[in-house]
Amino acid sequence: MHDIRYAWRTLRRSPVFAATAILTLALGIGANSALFGLLNALLFRPPTGIPESDRLVRVENAGRFEEVSYPDYLEIRDAARRFAGIAAYTSAGMALASGGEPIRVTGQLVSGNYFDVLGVRPVLGRGFLAGEDRTRGTHPVAVIGYDLWVRRFAADPTVVGRTVTLNGYGFTVVGVAPEGFMGTEIEEPAEVWVPTMMRARAMPAASDLLTNRRFGRFHLIGRLADGVPLEQAEAALGVISRRLDPAEPDRFEPLRLTATPLTGWIPLRGLGSTLPMLAFAGVITGLVLLIACANVANLLLARAVARRHEIGVRLALGAGRRRLIRQLVTESVLLALLGGGLGLVGSFWLADAFRARFRMVLAPLDVSPDAHTLAFTFALALGTGVLFGLVPAWRASRTDLRPALAGDGASRFRRSRLQGALVVAQMALSLTLLFAAGLFLRRLDTVAETDVGFEVDDVVVLTLDLESQGYTPAAGEAFQRALRERAAGLPGVRAAAVASGAPLVGGRTLHWLSAAEGASTPAGTTAGAAPVVAMGVSPGFFRTLGIPVLRGRGFTDRDTRDAPRVAVISQQLARRQWPDRDPIGRVFYFGPSRDTPIRVVGVVPDVATSLSDPQMAVFLPRSQHFQMAESYLIARVAGDPSTIIEPLRDAVHAIDPDVPVYAVRTMAQVVEESVDIYRDLALVITGFGALALALAALGLYGVMAFTAASRAREVGIRIALGADAGAVLGLFIRDGLRLTAIGAALGVALALALGRLIGSIVAGVRPVDPLAFAGVVAVLAGAALIASWLPARRAARVDPMAALRSE
């Protein structure tokens, strides 16, 4: 406590130094705390709205697919004696048509004990009763989410007992979920819950969902019985797995049931493909913290020189080196704790800003402070204080008593090699971060300048959900044919088409294409097969998007379900499969099977199927490649596209008023949204790179200012002997640029390693980009020049008589 009180008084006497060090550390610690806060909310905080989660586990299949079939769930539920209950759920898109125009909501089909197992108590009404999930189609009841209740029903407390229309059928609202509760799936946060026995209304397209053991669509959540440890529950699940396997030899794969604690939105082993991105984020924030530590360590080294007399007196009075080091490290730890407290406040703001900006992914997360975040920040601040304080304290304790007590100016001002090494390290680390920012900026430029291959002006896209309304493929095809004709006849519409997939919009499916006739790929094999994106489109699609047919023809109304299979392919695919032949009339297959030959009838220019990972494209007639999940109405208009949106909505609802229309955008907005992800990433990484550059430049400035002060007598003698201002400026600027050049040279290896990591995460990023590297070096050199020039200019203005007199 004595050391802490003295450290506090010492820092109060040096407010500029203390404020600079605290703010520098706050930036580094705050960035890492914000990242930990997001990871903590994702991995270690149970989904919002679940009050007692310590006994909850995810029951999963350890095979290729984590989900299980509904018949298997019933047997698992009845046989699991080590559990107080096991609930099942699966996600489903639903159309809500109550209180306004039909909208698409994310719903879940859940077992009757779902809310009881989770321990969730609705804020209004109740959950489901056991009897409401026993017989099919007899209890059309629903629980709605809190946000949906506020947004759609204006938080009306009388909503319980009201009938709402889901998928064209009346459901009685029996409860409103608590605020923040969106289920347990972060990728598909739920807004509506209905019993599984209402499958025919909630998921009309999945006719065998509740009977087919090969249809594994259900996630399971279990609550352990009182006093039962997780190991016993897993052993019981192993017994159940072995008992179920022989009963159904036709099951898609053997069951291997496991139990994982519901400690967060996703289990640690479920990170999978997100690990490289998390590692990249950790590297970025870690580098910022290291630069901040090096910066403050340099400040402490310079401050130790200014305190040489004080340290000499302490040593002369009998203080041991260990006692002195403890005092100095206490000061650095106090600085780190103050910086950590300020950084913690900033981290909540930063984490919340990330959550708001990437709301589509992070919306369900609760990033409010908790014990884990506080403990992490405290531990990080404590470790940081020791890290940047120990070496300066050790060096300060080696003070030579005689010159320190005598106030010998020649020995008082001497830049240590450690100070230069810290500047070199800062420059190397900042170059690494700047290079990462340069790669993202270069990728952003590439994406923004991508030729999408079709016209984006005056084109409107509307998304329709036919699956929720129970459309069969034949009925859906008839609906879309009527919609295309109705939309094409609207005033101001120049062309219209419907599609199950469109470039940059969605609905694209990936296939492996193997060619047969005269191609470079052996027929009926996957060796060398090309990955292609398939899209089902109607006649008029190419005209609507302004895509010219270079060879052959487009699609017509004669390309029906019963007609021979045909396709229009992109120019790149034609060159790859038939480089020296005319592709028109050639036949190919999807995969190694020769069951369904597809004949090429047309070739179109390459289109950007996706800005992130563009693939060769295959367009198929809509009637031959019909998908129910989503459909798109695309219209080219004359004039302002916004004026035709409502007439197009009316055209949809004139055919079926219950079909939800959502994600209404112009094609220009679609392209802009495709660029946004790169813009956001570039903005974030550039922000960290700019922060690293500012910290490194500040560190270099501090060292050069210290060097200029230490060489005041030398500069005075040089000026007295006739040196001009340019010579003095060059003396210090060369010194600063030399440190920067060494740091840049050492940072090349780190930058290239980080570039390879980025290239493995973000498609299209070149790990080695000479232009980006040249730009980074130029920016770093410019910052170093400014940071060196300012102290050098001050040194060049030294009055030689004053400098010599002070010595």
Side-chain angles (χ1 to χ4, degrees):
M1 292 304 299
H2 173 78
D3 288 347
I4 293 174
R5 287 195 297 269
Y6 183 78
W8 176 252
R9 291 197 300 270
T10 302
L11 294 178
R12 287 183 61 186
R13 288 196 298 268
S14 305
V16 175
F17 162 78
T20 302
I22 290 171
L23 181 60
T24 300
L25 291 170
L27 293 172
I29 295 174
N32 285 270
S33 294
L35 176 62
F36 178 83
L38 291 172
L39 290 178
N40 178 55
L42 185 66
L43 300 174
F44 304 114
R45 299 185 74 164
T48 309
I50 300 178
E52 301 174 358
S53 62
D54 56 318
R55 305 292 293 169
L56 291 175
V57 296
R58 299 178 187 272
V59 178
E60 299 173 332
N61 182 17
R64 284 181 296 171
F65 305 101
E66 297 176 354
E67 300 87 352
V68 302
S69 68
Y70 190 75
D72 283 339
Y73 157 68
L74 294 178
E75 295 195 36
I76 295 169
R77 181 197 64 186
D78 295 339
R81 306 301 181 189
R82 301 292 183 179
F83 291 83
I86 296 181
Y89 65 91
T90 187
S91 298
M94 301 180 189
L96 173 66
S98 181
E101 181 183 341
I103 61 172
R104 192 176 190 270
V105 296
T106 302
Q108 284 186 347
L109 210 63
V110 302
S111 57
N113 61 348
Y114 177 79
F115 291 103
D116 292 334
V117 169
L118 291 179
V120 174
R121 299 291 177 263
V123 294
L124 288 179
R126 60 173 176 82
F128 299 131
L129 303 177
E132 291 173 338
D133 196 34
R134 288 178 181 166
T135 55
R136 297 190 185 185
T138 57
H139 292 84
V141 293
V143 174
I144 63 174
Y146 189 92
D147 288 346
L148 182 64
W149 175 53
V150 172
R151 185 176 72 249
R152 187 71 173 187
F153 301 97
D156 184 359
T158 65
V159 71
V160 175
R162 184 186 304 181
T163 298
V164 298
T165 303
L166 287 172
N167 293 352
Y169 192 79
F171 281 74
T172 301
V173 177
V174 296
V176 176
E179 184 175 5
F181 178 73
M182 302 179 186
T184 58
E185 296 295 319
I186 192 170
E187 294 181 355
E188 296 178 297
E191 300 173 280
V192 177
W193 296 266
V194 300
T196 54
M197 290 297 106
M198 294 304 300
R199 191 281 314 160
R201 299 297 180 181
M203 298 178 66
S207 58
D208 59 349
L209 179 67
L210 303 183
T211 58
N212 190 347
R213 288 188 184 270
R214 296 173 63 88
F215 202 169
R217 280 283 301 272
F218 282 88
H219 301 271
L220 307 185
I221 294 287
R223 180 174 292 276
L224 298 176
D226 293 338
V228 175
L230 180 63
E231 294 76 13
Q232 289 187 15
E234 280 207 293
L237 290 175
V239 174
I240 295 172
S241 300
R242 290 189 293 272
R243 188 167 67 239
L244 287 177
D245 279 345
E248 289 292 338
D250 292 334
R251 185 181 283 106
F252 189 73
E253 65 176 357
L255 285 177
R256 289 184 293 147
L257 298 175
T258 63
T260 306
L262 187 70
T263 54
W265 284 96
I266 58 176
L268 283 172
R269 65 179 181 83
L271 289 176
S273 60
T274 60
L275 273 176
M277 180 60 76
L278 295 178
F280 172 67
V283 168
I284 293 296
T285 56
L287 290 177
V288 171
L289 181 59
L290 286 176
I291 294 172
C293 288
N295 207 326
V296 177
N298 251 332
L299 290 176
L300 287 175
L301 287 171
R303 179 173 167 79
V305 173
R307 297 174 64 183
R308 286 171 66 90
H309 184 70
E310 172 200 340
I311 293 172
V313 170
R314 285 174 173 270
L315 292 173
L317 292 177
R321 288 188 63 191
R322 181 178 298 179
R323 178 69 183 84
L324 187 60
I325 289 174
R326 191 182 78 184
Q327 173 63 53
L328 296 176
V329 170
T330 300
E331 293 181 17
S332 65
V333 170
L334 181 59
L335 280 173
L337 291 177
L338 293 173
L342 182 60
L344 182 65
V345 176
S347 72
F348 296 139
W349 174 84
L350 184 60
D352 203 51
F354 270 104
R355 178 177 170 271
R357 188 66 186 89
F358 299 97
R359 188 168 181 81
M360 291 295 292
V361 180
L362 305 177
L365 296 185
D366 179 9
V367 295
S368 60
D370 68 348
H372 291 137
T373 307
L374 295 176
F376 172 82
T377 306
F378 176 78
L380 184 64
L382 189 63
T384 298
V386 174
L387 173 67
F388 73 75
L390 190 59
V391 173
W394 178 74
R395 290 189 63 86
S397 68
R398 298 178 61 196
T399 298
D400 191 356
L401 284 179
R402 180 175 298 177
L405 294 174
D408 185 358
S411 62
R412 184 168 63 248
F413 298 108
R414 183 182 305 160
R415 190 180 79 193
S416 68
R417 293 181 179 178
L418 180 59
Q419 286 178 294
L422 289 173
V423 170
V424 168
Q426 290 182 72
M427 290 299 172
L429 296 176
S430 63
L431 179 137
T432 303
L433 283 177
L434 287 172
F435 183 65
L439 291 180
F440 276 97
L441 289 173
R442 287 275 291 155
R443 180 57 177 153
L444 175 61
D445 288 341
T446 303
V447 169
E449 296 173 0
T450 299
D451 181 8
V452 295
F454 55 88
E455 298 180 15
V456 300
D457 296 330
D458 306 327
V459 177
V460 178
V461 181
L462 291 79
T463 308
L464 317 175
D465 181 7
L466 299 181
E467 184 178 26
S468 65
Q469 302 305 304
Y471 276 82
T472 63
E477 186 178 344
F479 173 91
Q480 295 189 20
R481 186 183 302 109
L483 177 61
R484 177 166 59 91
E485 295 172 355
R486 186 180 290 268
L490 291 174
V493 174
R494 297 162 55 188
V498 293
S500 62
L504 303 182
V505 177
R508 305 173 300 273
T509 58
L510 185 65
H511 293 275
W512 290 90
L513 180 146
S514 58
E517 295 182 355
S520 57
T521 305
T525 70
T526 56
V532 298
V533 172
M535 290 168 275
V537 302
S538 72
F541 176 84
F542 300 115
R543 176 170 174 262
T544 302
L545 286 181
I547 302 174
V549 178
L550 302 178
R551 292 184 184 179
R553 64 174 178 87
F555 300 132
T556 69
D557 290 328
R558 293 189 297 274
D559 297 315
T560 62
R561 183 187 306 273
D562 300 326
R565 296 295 181 91
V566 295
V568 173
I569 64 175
S570 63
Q571 203 169 16
Q572 182 184 1
L573 180 57
R575 286 194 298 265
R576 183 189 188 280
Q577 292 293 331
W578 298 280
D580 303 319
R581 298 176 177 85
D582 185 358
I584 302 300
R586 302 291 178 180
V587 171
F588 65 87
Y589 303 88
F590 283 139
S593 172
R594 297 174 62 90
D595 294 339
T596 309
I598 304 173
R599 189 172 299 278
V600 177
V601 296
V603 177
V604 296
D606 296 329
V607 296
T609 57
S610 168
L611 294 184
S612 60
D613 188 18
Q615 301 280 359
M616 295 174 286
V618 172
F619 299 93
L620 304 169
R622 183 73 175 92
S623 57
Q624 297 178 0
H625 190 73
F626 193 87
Q627 292 179 327
M628 291 299 307
E630 286 183 332
S631 300
Y632 303 97
L633 171 61
I634 307 171
R636 174 175 296 280
V637 302
D640 185 3
S642 63
T643 61
I644 202 65
I645 291 177
E646 287 307 315
L648 289 174
R649 286 182 184 271
D650 294 339
V652 174
H653 293 148
I655 302 173
D656 187 340
D658 293 328
V659 171
V661 179
Y662 57 100
V664 179
R665 299 163 292 175
T666 65
M667 190 59 77
Q669 290 173 325
V670 171
V671 175
E672 187 68 18
E673 290 169 3
S674 300
V675 178
D676 277 348
I677 181 63
Y678 294 97
R679 183 176 291 112
D680 291 339
L681 288 173
L683 178 63
V684 171
I685 304 304
T686 302
F688 279 112
L691 175 60
L693 179 64
L695 290 175
L698 181 63
L700 178 61
Y701 171 81
V703 169
M704 296 311 299
F706 171 81
T707 303
S710 68
R711 300 176 68 177
R713 182 170 180 271
E714 174 194 343
V715 171
I717 294 175
R718 287 176 178 269
I719 294 176
L721 293 177
D724 58 11
V728 176
L729 286 173
L731 181 69
F732 291 101
I733 290 175
R734 281 195 301 271
D735 192 16
L737 292 181
R738 179 179 61 84
L739 293 175
T740 302
I742 296 173
L746 295 177
V748 170
L750 286 175
L752 294 178
L754 187 60
R756 284 193 292 270
L757 176 61
I758 296 173
S760 68
I761 297 171
V762 182
V765 171
R766 297 173 56 189
V768 180
D769 191 323
L771 187 59
F773 191 80
V776 165
V777 171
V779 170
L780 189 65
L785 183 63
I786 295 173
S788 303
W789 176 74
L790 292 174
R793 186 184 64 168
R794 188 178 299 111
R797 295 178 177 178
V798 167
D799 182 357
M801 295 304 296
L804 295 174
R805 190 181 300 116
S806 68
E807 294 292 332

